[in-house]
């Protein structure tokens, strides 16, 4: 049904844009299709075409508002077929389609964006008024080619008819009526198209994590937070949450471009996961959103696919370092060991503490430094980012800082001797997960290695047993593609990932994580059909904050301005290496 509406919309657009098309055999067929209103004016065909195309998308998503608009539009099409074209067959087809829509009206129950309704109304009123005012100017701008002396009321009536693509009572000579008609039709098209877009666009809800939801999530994390290193990131304020009927599990999500994107595993008791997943899918169906899960574990992926019938694809691997097994000794750790010792010889010191142990003045200084050293206007991240440093909300979080006392005769910087910081959020009672890395651009290369090593060495004092580092996208493809005997498909995949690494830190994340000899835990993306993958990918990049063209220029500029020893270190120093997928 949606495809048929789209075809009719394209035919109407062609009849409005190409005059010869209105006299072709193709248009003779278009005249009998449902919704193909007789082209009294080219602008009318354009408006109808745009509306039908927009309605086709809404009907495919089973939007209630699209159904209402289609039911309102089809009677107009039926009247046009009978009155103007005398096409009984076309009217019957339109009537059948109308009857089909009415009979299956209960299937079109997807909820709209509650905010877009008022924006659409405001757009129609404001832009409609502007279009009417400009239309009066257009109608009166050819005084010597107007037939007779039409009154103000006649000109206003001509503008109103013209905005809808019809001829009004004012007549012109020398073909000016076509110019006026197209101009008025274009204004009407602009008004209708923008209003329809605001009315039928995908929903972009604001943050809906209430204080009550946050408290319930914290209670679940206190009991089951050790299951998933991504669990604590559910406390982002721009995520919504749906709970199982028992309240023992929850799924946290965000809606981006019509994709209902969950991150990580469900929070809470594994036995209650199916109930939370069912509520999640019900919410997606109610709004006609595309359900997807980003970065779930293998256990989470198995539950998701079993309960929903969706499919899963390995997305990458999470680097986890076991504190008890970590050591700087050995050949494999030589590069990290040498870098850390060199930085320490340069006078750098480190401190690793719980956030609650920082003095208010130092905490404020750390917060300001983290904002100042960020290379983007807003905090980036979604699945593995919290977006705040708050001693009240996240007292158990851990912060590692690097300090360098100014040389004699030098003035301290705006943040004193603070040169770099790393922030870790709790991962159950005995783990922590890296949330962000920030450094002063004047600091020596290797700050991130220094602070991670310091955090691992201090972890036993904080009763931390495991540390989750960054998430390496498609790590297995990079690793297997460079091995001897790798097949052509694997080599091509690796080459593509290396090419994309010029803009997105795919390889550098993997290489950086691999320095610390972690164990790799696979992470998956869960999707409904393969057709949804491109849309889910775009939504994920938007959620993570990486779908922005200026970032390419900022990355290149930052890399050129930093005196770093290694290419990947320039990425780290610029502050772009964060816990993102």
């Amino acid at each position: 049904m949606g495809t048929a509406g789209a075809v009719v919309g394209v035919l109407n657009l062609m009849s409005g844009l190409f005059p010869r098309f209105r006299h072709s055999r193709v248009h003779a067929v278009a005249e009998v299709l449902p919704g193909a209103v007789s082209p009294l004016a080219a602008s009318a065909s354009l408006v109808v075409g745009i509306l039908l195309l927009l309605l086709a998308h809404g009907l495919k998503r089973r939007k209630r508002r699209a159904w209402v608009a289609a039911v309102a539009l089809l009677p107009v099409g039926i009247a046009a077929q009978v009155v103007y074209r005398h096409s009984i067959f076309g009217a019957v087809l339109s009537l059948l389609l109308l009857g089909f829509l009415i009979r299956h009206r209960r299937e079109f129950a997807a909820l709209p964006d509650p905010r877009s309704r008022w924006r659409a109304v405001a757009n129609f009123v404001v832009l409609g008024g502007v279009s009417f005012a400009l239309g009066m100017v257009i109608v009166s701008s050819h005084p010597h080619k107007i037939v007779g002396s039409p009154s103000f009321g006649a000109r206003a009536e001509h503008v109103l008819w013209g905005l809808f693509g019809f001829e009004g009572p004012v007549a012109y000579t020398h073909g000016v009526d076509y110019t006026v008609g197209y101009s008025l039709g274009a204004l009407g098209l602009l008004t209708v198209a923008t209003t329809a877009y605001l009315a039928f666009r995908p929903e972009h809800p604001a943050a809906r994590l209430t204080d009550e939801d946050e408290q319930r999530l914290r209670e679940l994390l206190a009991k089951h937070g050790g299951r998933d290193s991504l669990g604590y990131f559910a406390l982002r304020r721009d995520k919504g949450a749906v709970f199982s009927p028992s309240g023992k599990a929850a799924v946290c999500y965000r809606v981006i471009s019509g994709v209902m994107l969950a991150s990580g595993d469900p929070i809470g008791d594994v036995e209650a996961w199916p109930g939370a997943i069912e509520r999640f899918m019900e919410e997606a169906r109610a709004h006609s959103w595309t359900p997807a899960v980003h970065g779930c574990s293998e256990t989470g992926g198995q539950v998701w696919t079993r309960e929903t019938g969706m499919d899963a694809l390995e997305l990458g691997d999470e680097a986890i370092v076991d504190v008890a097994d970590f050591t700087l000794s050995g050949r494999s750790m030589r590069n990290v060991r040498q870098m850390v010792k060199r930085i320490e010889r340069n006078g750098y010191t480190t401190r690793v503490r719980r956030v609650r142990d920082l003095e208010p003045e130092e905490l404020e200084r750390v917060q300001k430094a983290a904002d100042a050293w960020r290379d983007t206007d807003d905090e980036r991240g979604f699945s593995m980012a919290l977006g705040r440093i708050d001693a009240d909300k996240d007292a158990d979080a851990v912060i590692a800082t690097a300090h360098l006392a100014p040389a004699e005769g030098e003035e301290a910087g705006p943040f004193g001797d603070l040169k770099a910081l790393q922030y870790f959020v709790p991962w159950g009672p005995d783990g922590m997960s890296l949330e962000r890395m920030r450094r002063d651009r004047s600091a020596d290369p290797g700050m991130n290695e220094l602070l991670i090593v310091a955090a691992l060495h201090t972890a036993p004092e904080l009763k931390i047993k495991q540390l989750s580092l960054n998430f390496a996208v498609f790590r297995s493809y990079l690793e297997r593609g460079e091995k001897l005997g790798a097949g052509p498909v694997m080599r091509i995949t690796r080459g593509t990932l290396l090419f994309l690494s010029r803009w997105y830190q795919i390889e550098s994340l993997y290489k950086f994580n691999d320095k610390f000899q972690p164990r790799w835990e696979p992470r998956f993306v869960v999707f409904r059909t393969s057709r949804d993958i491109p849309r889910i990918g775009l939504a994920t990049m938007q959620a993570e904050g990486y779908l922005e063209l200026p970032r390419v220029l900022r990355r290149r500029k930052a890399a050129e301005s930093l005196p770093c020893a290694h290419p990947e270190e320039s990425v780290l120093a610029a502050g772009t290496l964060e816990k993102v997928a």
Side-chain angles (χ1 to χ4, degrees):
M1 188 187 310
T3 303
V7 171
V8 174
V10 171
L11 291 175
N12 276 275
L13 283 172
M14 294 180 66
S15 67
L17 292 172
F18 307 105
R20 294 183 179 180
F21 176 77
R22 294 195 294 271
H23 306 287
S24 65
R25 294 182 180 180
V26 178
H27 187 66
V29 177
E31 290 178 354
V32 301
L33 291 175
V37 181
S38 175
L40 296 177
S43 57
S45 295
L46 292 174
V47 171
V48 171
I50 292 291
L51 283 174
L52 287 174
L53 287 174
L54 292 172
L55 289 176
H57 178 70
L59 292 174
K60 285 182 179 180
R61 299 187 62 198
R62 301 180 183 274
K63 287 292 185 180
R64 183 68 179 181
R65 194 177 298 173
W67 177 88
V68 172
V71 170
L73 179 64
L74 281 172
V76 178
I78 294 172
Q81 296 286 358
V82 175
V83 175
Y84 295 108
R85 303 301 300 177
H86 306 289
S87 176
I88 303 300
F89 182 68
V92 171
L93 287 179
S94 298
L95 186 62
L96 290 175
L97 179 58
L98 178 62
F100 182 85
L101 289 174
I102 294 176
R103 179 178 180 181
H104 297 277
R105 60 186 178 275
R106 293 182 179 179
E107 296 185 14
F108 298 88
L111 301 176
D113 180 0
R115 296 180 299 155
S116 65
R117 179 186 300 119
W118 302 113
R119 290 184 125 184
V121 171
N123 179 83
F124 182 80
V125 172
V126 174
L127 192 56
V130 172
S131 298
F132 179 82
L134 292 176
M136 291 296 294
V137 175
I138 293 172
V139 169
S140 305
S141 61
H142 305 279
H144 301 295
K145 297 180 181 179
I146 297 179
V147 178
S149 300
S151 63
F152 178 86
R155 298 186 186 209
E157 182 181 357
H158 189 88
V159 171
L160 291 175
W161 282 110
L163 291 175
F164 287 96
F166 299 98
E167 294 182 359
V170 180
Y172 296 86
T173 60
H174 300 88
V176 175
D177 52 341
Y178 288 102
T179 302
V180 174
Y182 272 95
S183 301
L184 295 176
L187 290 173
L189 171 65
L190 178 64
T191 303
V192 172
T194 54
T195 302
Y197 167 75
L198 292 174
F200 303 120
R201 66 176 182 168
E203 185 172 357
H204 297 270
R208 292 185 294 177
L209 189 64
T210 64
D211 293 337
E212 180 183 356
D213 289 342
E214 182 177 352
Q215 181 59 36
R216 296 176 66 183
L217 289 175
R218 289 185 181 276
E219 293 175 358
L220 294 177
L221 289 171
K223 297 179 181 179
H224 309 280
R227 278 212 72 266
D228 187 12
S229 63
L230 275 64
Y232 201 85
F233 298 110
L235 299 178
R236 284 178 63 102
R237 300 296 295 184
D238 60 355
K239 288 183 179 181
V242 289
F243 292 83
S244 64
S246 64
K248 295 182 179 180
V251 175
C252 297
Y253 69 93
R254 185 178 172 190
V255 178
I256 303 289
S257 298
V259 176
M260 190 176 183
L261 190 64
S263 60
D265 292 343
I267 308 298
D269 188 356
V270 178
E271 298 296 328
W273 282 9
I277 291 174
E278 183 179 359
R279 288 283 180 88
F280 176 88
M281 298 301 293
E282 289 176 356
E283 188 80 2
R285 284 191 294 269
H287 293 84
S288 191
W289 291 329
T290 300
V293 185
H294 173 73
C296 65
S297 67
E298 187 170 2
T299 301
Q302 291 174 348
V303 177
W304 273 101
T305 54
R306 184 187 69 223
E307 297 296 327
T308 64
M310 295 195 293
D311 202 356
L313 178 68
E314 186 174 344
L315 183 63
D317 297 271
E318 180 185 9
I320 298 176
V321 180
D322 293 316
V323 175
D325 299 332
F326 178 77
T327 177
L328 284 177
S329 303
R331 184 178 180 84
S332 61
M333 297 298 296
R334 182 178 60 180
N335 291 336
V336 176
R337 181 173 63 251
Q338 291 177 348
M339 180 172 289
V340 170
K341 289 183 176 180
R342 175 178 56 82
I343 297 174
E344 289 177 343
R345 285 195 300 267
N346 290 341
Y348 285 89
T349 59
T350 59
R351 300 182 67 186
V352 181
R353 295 154 290 170
R354 298 281 184 184
V355 174
R356 62 170 175 263
D357 296 330
L358 271 68
E359 295 296 332
E361 296 78 9
E362 185 177 4
L363 177 61
E364 182 180 1
R365 184 166 64 251
V366 167
Q367 292 170 334
K368 291 181 178 179
D371 292 337
W373 296 339
R374 185 178 61 226
D375 72 323
T376 56
D377 295 334
D378 300 314
E379 288 288 354
R380 178 177 289 139
F382 165 66
S383 59
M384 292 181 168
L386 191 61
R388 65 173 183 261
I389 299 177
D390 193 327
D392 295 328
K393 292 180 177 292
D394 314 303
D396 290 333
V398 175
I399 188 163
T401 55
H403 306 265
L404 178 65
E408 186 176 353
E410 292 184 358
E411 295 183 0
F415 309 110
D417 63 352
L418 182 63
K419 292 298 181 181
L421 65 91
Q422 289 181 0
Y423 189 62
F424 304 85
V425 299
W427 172 15
D430 58 0
M432 59 184 182
S433 185
L434 179 60
E435 196 267 349
R436 74 180 69 185
M437 298 177 177
R438 299 284 164 79
R439 55 159 283 181
D440 188 339
R441 296 189 179 186
S442 65
D444 291 354
M447 288 291 103
N448 294 298
E449 287 88 343
L450 174 69
L451 289 178
I452 288 178
V453 170
L456 288 168
H457 284 166
T458 314
E461 301 176 13
L462 301 175
K463 299 181 180 180
I464 299 297
K465 297 181 180 180
Q466 53 187 351
L467 169 61
S468 170
L469 293 175
N470 293 285
F471 177 68
V473 182
F474 304 126
R475 181 201 67 88
S476 59
Y477 294 96
L478 292 171
E479 184 181 51
R480 286 180 287 177
E482 65 180 352
K483 289 184 177 180
L484 182 66
V489 176
M490 191 61 65
R491 291 181 181 273
I492 292 174
T493 303
R494 181 175 182 273
T496 303
L497 293 174
L498 292 178
F499 174 77
L500 294 175
S501 295
R502 298 172 60 184
W503 294 277
Y504 303 100
Q505 286 72 51
I506 299 175
E507 185 188 24
S508 59
L509 280 170
Y510 162 52
K511 295 295 185 181
F512 178 79
N513 293 333
D514 200 48
K515 292 179 181 180
F516 303 94
Q517 301 298 307
R519 57 182 170 90
W520 297 99
E521 295 290 339
R523 290 282 176 173
F524 299 84
V525 58
V526 180
F527 54 93
R528 192 169 48 187
T529 65
S530 57
R531 295 190 304 271
D532 294 336
I533 292 179
R535 187 176 185 183
I536 294 171
L538 289 174
T540 301
M541 294 179 68
Q542 288 179 267
E544 296 287 1
Y546 276 86
L547 192 60
E548 48 181 346
L549 182 60
R551 178 182 174 275
V552 177
L553 302 177
R554 287 198 299 270
R555 181 193 70 86
R556 182 176 302 171
K557 182 177 180 181
E560 292 174 353
S561 63
L562 292 171
C564 297
H566 303 284
E568 65 267 22
E569 178 62 20
S570 66
V571 177
L572 306 180
T576 58
L577 180 55
E578 300 185 25
K579 288 209 59 169
V580 294

Short mmCIF file of all heavy atoms in Angstrom, two decimals, residues 8 43 65 70 75 109 139 156 162 170 191 227 374 380 395 408 439 465 488 520 549 575:
data_model
loop_
_atom_site.label_atom_id
_atom_site.label_comp_id
_atom_site.label_asym_id
_atom_site.label_seq_id
_atom_site.Cartn_x
_atom_site.Cartn_y
_atom_site.Cartn_z
N VAL A 8 2.21 6.55 -7.13
CA VAL A 8 1.26 7.59 -7.54
C VAL A 8 1.84 8.98 -7.28
O VAL A 8 1.69 9.90 -8.08
CB VAL A 8 -0.08 7.42 -6.79
CG1 VAL A 8 -1.03 8.57 -7.09
CG2 VAL A 8 -0.71 6.10 -7.18
N SER A 43 1.30 23.02 -10.04
CA SER A 43 1.59 23.07 -8.61
C SER A 43 0.69 22.13 -7.83
O SER A 43 1.12 21.56 -6.81
CB SER A 43 1.41 24.50 -8.09
OG SER A 43 0.11 24.96 -8.36
N ARG A 65 -1.53 9.09 12.13
CA ARG A 65 -1.74 10.39 11.50
C ARG A 65 -1.66 10.27 9.97
O ARG A 65 -2.39 10.96 9.26
CB ARG A 65 -0.70 11.38 12.02
CG ARG A 65 -1.01 12.82 11.69
CD ARG A 65 0.02 13.73 12.31
NE ARG A 65 0.00 13.63 13.76
CZ ARG A 65 0.90 14.21 14.53
NH1 ARG A 65 1.89 14.90 14.02
NH2 ARG A 65 0.82 14.09 15.85
N ALA A 70 -4.49 10.19 4.72
CA ALA A 70 -4.84 9.46 3.49
C ALA A 70 -6.35 9.34 3.35
O ALA A 70 -6.89 9.51 2.24
CB ALA A 70 -4.20 8.07 3.51
N PRO A 75 -11.04 11.01 -0.62
CA PRO A 75 -12.31 11.54 -1.12
C PRO A 75 -12.13 12.72 -2.07
O PRO A 75 -12.90 12.87 -3.04
CB PRO A 75 -13.05 11.96 0.15
CG PRO A 75 -12.49 11.08 1.20
CD PRO A 75 -11.04 10.91 0.85
N ALA A 109 -1.98 2.18 14.12
CA ALA A 109 -2.10 2.67 15.50
C ALA A 109 -0.79 3.23 16.02
O ALA A 109 -0.69 3.51 17.22
CB ALA A 109 -2.59 1.55 16.41
N VAL A 139 0.45 38.77 -7.01
CA VAL A 139 -0.76 39.01 -7.82
C VAL A 139 -0.84 40.47 -8.28
O VAL A 139 -1.28 40.76 -9.40
CB VAL A 139 -2.01 38.63 -7.01
CG1 VAL A 139 -3.29 39.12 -7.70
CG2 VAL A 139 -2.07 37.12 -6.81
N ALA A 156 -7.42 38.52 -3.16
CA ALA A 156 -7.19 37.61 -2.05
C ALA A 156 -7.72 36.22 -2.37
O ALA A 156 -7.08 35.20 -2.04
CB ALA A 156 -7.86 38.15 -0.79
N GLY A 162 -4.71 30.01 -5.66
CA GLY A 162 -3.39 29.74 -6.22
C GLY A 162 -2.49 28.95 -5.30
O GLY A 162 -1.69 28.12 -5.75
N VAL A 170 -8.84 36.24 -11.01
CA VAL A 170 -8.05 37.27 -11.67
C VAL A 170 -7.45 36.70 -12.95
O VAL A 170 -6.86 35.62 -12.95
CB VAL A 170 -6.94 37.80 -10.75
CG1 VAL A 170 -6.12 38.88 -11.46
CG2 VAL A 170 -7.54 38.35 -9.45
N THR A 191 4.63 25.53 1.90
CA THR A 191 3.87 25.49 3.15
C THR A 191 3.41 24.07 3.47
O THR A 191 3.57 23.58 4.59
CB THR A 191 2.65 26.42 3.06
OG1 THR A 191 3.09 27.75 2.77
CG2 THR A 191 1.87 26.42 4.37
N ARG A 227 27.27 -7.72 36.27
CA ARG A 227 27.11 -8.55 35.08
C ARG A 227 27.67 -7.89 33.83
O ARG A 227 28.26 -8.55 32.97
CB ARG A 227 25.62 -8.83 34.84
CG ARG A 227 25.03 -9.95 35.66
CD ARG A 227 23.93 -10.65 34.87
NE ARG A 227 24.48 -11.44 33.77
CZ ARG A 227 24.62 -11.01 32.53
NH1 ARG A 227 24.27 -9.79 32.20
NH2 ARG A 227 25.14 -11.80 31.61
N ARG A 374 38.02 18.97 25.77
CA ARG A 374 37.17 18.23 24.84
C ARG A 374 37.28 18.85 23.46
O ARG A 374 37.26 20.07 23.30
CB ARG A 374 35.72 18.27 25.33
CG ARG A 374 34.75 17.44 24.50
CD ARG A 374 33.35 17.51 25.09
NE ARG A 374 32.86 18.88 25.10
CZ ARG A 374 32.27 19.47 26.12
NH1 ARG A 374 32.13 18.83 27.25
NH2 ARG A 374 31.83 20.72 26.03
N ARG A 380 30.58 13.50 23.68
CA ARG A 380 30.35 12.47 22.68
C ARG A 380 30.17 11.13 23.37
O ARG A 380 30.77 10.86 24.39
CB ARG A 380 31.52 12.41 21.70
CG ARG A 380 31.42 11.33 20.65
CD ARG A 380 32.59 11.41 19.71
NE ARG A 380 32.48 12.58 18.86
CZ ARG A 380 33.50 13.35 18.55
NH1 ARG A 380 34.70 13.09 19.02
NH2 ARG A 380 33.34 14.40 17.76
N ALA A 395 29.44 8.91 43.31
CA ALA A 395 30.49 9.02 44.34
C ALA A 395 31.52 7.90 44.24
O ALA A 395 32.68 8.09 44.61
CB ALA A 395 29.85 9.03 45.73
N GLU A 408 60.77 26.36 37.38
CA GLU A 408 61.05 27.61 38.08
C GLU A 408 60.97 28.78 37.12
O GLU A 408 61.56 28.77 36.04
CB GLU A 408 62.45 27.54 38.70
CG GLU A 408 62.79 28.73 39.57
CD GLU A 408 64.15 28.58 40.23
OE1 GLU A 408 64.74 27.49 40.10
OE2 GLU A 408 64.60 29.55 40.85
N ARG A 439 43.34 15.20 28.02
CA ARG A 439 44.69 15.67 28.35
C ARG A 439 44.91 17.07 27.79
O ARG A 439 44.28 17.48 26.82
CB ARG A 439 45.75 14.73 27.78
CG ARG A 439 45.64 14.48 26.30
CD ARG A 439 46.94 13.98 25.70
NE ARG A 439 47.89 15.07 25.53
CZ ARG A 439 49.09 14.93 25.00
NH1 ARG A 439 49.50 13.74 24.62
NH2 ARG A 439 49.89 15.96 24.87
N LYS A 465 39.03 -5.37 40.82
CA LYS A 465 39.61 -6.60 40.29
C LYS A 465 39.67 -6.62 38.76
O LYS A 465 40.43 -7.41 38.19
CB LYS A 465 38.82 -7.81 40.77
CG LYS A 465 38.85 -8.00 42.29
CD LYS A 465 38.06 -9.23 42.69
CE LYS A 465 38.08 -9.43 44.20
NZ LYS A 465 37.31 -10.64 44.60
N PRO A 488 40.73 -13.66 0.58
CA PRO A 488 40.53 -12.36 -0.07
C PRO A 488 39.43 -11.53 0.56
O PRO A 488 39.54 -10.32 0.65
CB PRO A 488 40.20 -12.74 -1.52
CG PRO A 488 39.75 -14.17 -1.46
CD PRO A 488 40.51 -14.79 -0.35
N TRP A 520 39.62 -10.32 25.44
CA TRP A 520 38.64 -9.69 24.56
C TRP A 520 37.28 -10.35 24.74
O TRP A 520 37.15 -11.57 24.62
CB TRP A 520 39.08 -9.78 23.11
CG TRP A 520 40.36 -9.06 22.83
CD1 TRP A 520 41.61 -9.59 22.74
CD2 TRP A 520 40.51 -7.65 22.60
NE1 TRP A 520 42.54 -8.62 22.47
CE2 TRP A 520 41.89 -7.40 22.37
CE3 TRP A 520 39.63 -6.58 22.56
CZ2 TRP A 520 42.39 -6.14 22.11
CZ3 TRP A 520 40.13 -5.31 22.30
CH2 TRP A 520 41.48 -5.10 22.09
N LEU A 549 30.24 16.33 9.83
CA LEU A 549 31.33 16.61 8.89
C LEU A 549 32.45 17.45 9.49
O LEU A 549 33.62 17.16 9.24
CB LEU A 549 30.78 17.30 7.65
CG LEU A 549 31.79 17.62 6.54
CD1 LEU A 549 32.43 16.34 6.04
CD2 LEU A 549 31.12 18.38 5.40
N GLY A 575 41.93 14.04 22.39
CA GLY A 575 40.76 13.79 23.23
C GLY A 575 39.66 13.04 22.52
O GLY A 575 38.55 12.97 23.00
#
